[in-house]
Amino acid sequence: MKGGLRMKGYIKNIPVEEIFYLTDQVEYLPGQVVSRTISQNDAQSLTIFAFDKGEEISTHSSHGDAMITILDGEGRVIVDGKPFVLHKGESVLMPAGKPHTVFALEKFKMFLVVVFPLIKRTDN
């Protein structure tokens, strides 16, 4: 499957067996937040986003730790009331249960990694 997009497996929706840029995997669209999930299960979620200027993901929280890395542009993240302005190459960790908001100060792309807690089974 060399040279194509992987549609099944643990990691999907990105090129296989070739060098690629995460920034090329999502496109900016006017007035939108565009996302591409590349892996998601009970343990983790990996998603690439492209935000048009002025777009946002409103305040919410997650039961997993979430880390954002800016791939292009500039965005503002508010974590539990603390504002952060992030530029290309910078990251911020948003702890589980803390409210957070993401806002595009200009067009920007980000890579989001969420790691969820292991749930121990109580049945034997």
Side-chain angles (χ1 to χ4, degrees):
M1 178 164 189
K2 186 174 181 176
L5 285 184
R6 185 173 186 186
M7 300 308 291
K8 295 181 181 180
Y10 300 113
I11 295 179
K12 60 184 181 179
N13 298 325
I14 56 175
V16 176
E17 297 179 27
E18 66 182 73
I19 296 171
F20 65 92
Y21 291 97
L22 285 176
T23 53
D24 293 343
Q25 304 309 304
V26 288
E27 297 297 323
Y28 293 115
L29 292 177
Q32 293 186 39
V33 176
V34 178
S35 67
R36 174 175 276 184
T37 300
I38 59 174
S39 183
Q40 189 166 26
N41 59 42
D42 291 342
Q44 50 75 36
S45 176
L46 306 174
T47 310
I48 308 163
F49 289 86
F51 289 70
D52 194 20
K53 182 178 180 176
E55 294 300 313
E56 73 178 306
I57 296 175
S58 61
T59 304
H60 64 285
S61 63
S62 171
H63 68 277
D65 286 342
M67 184 180 72
I68 290 173
T69 298
I70 303 301
L71 303 172
D72 183 45
E74 178 179 85
R76 181 177 66 224
V77 178
I78 300 172
V79 182
D80 202 26
K82 296 178 189 175
F84 300 90
V85 175
L86 299 169
H87 305 87
K88 183 178 178 178
E90 295 179 327
S91 301
V92 67
L93 178 63
M94 303 172 296
K98 301 276 183 167
H100 52 272
T101 306
V102 180
F103 179 79
L105 296 171
E106 60 180 53
K107 288 182 177 184
F108 86 99
K109 294 181 181 182
M110 70 179 202
F111 183 47
L112 173 67
V113 175
V114 184
V115 178
F116 300 105
L118 292 176
I119 299 172
K120 293 184 180 181
R121 296 181 64 162
T122 57
D123 59 333
N124 291 330

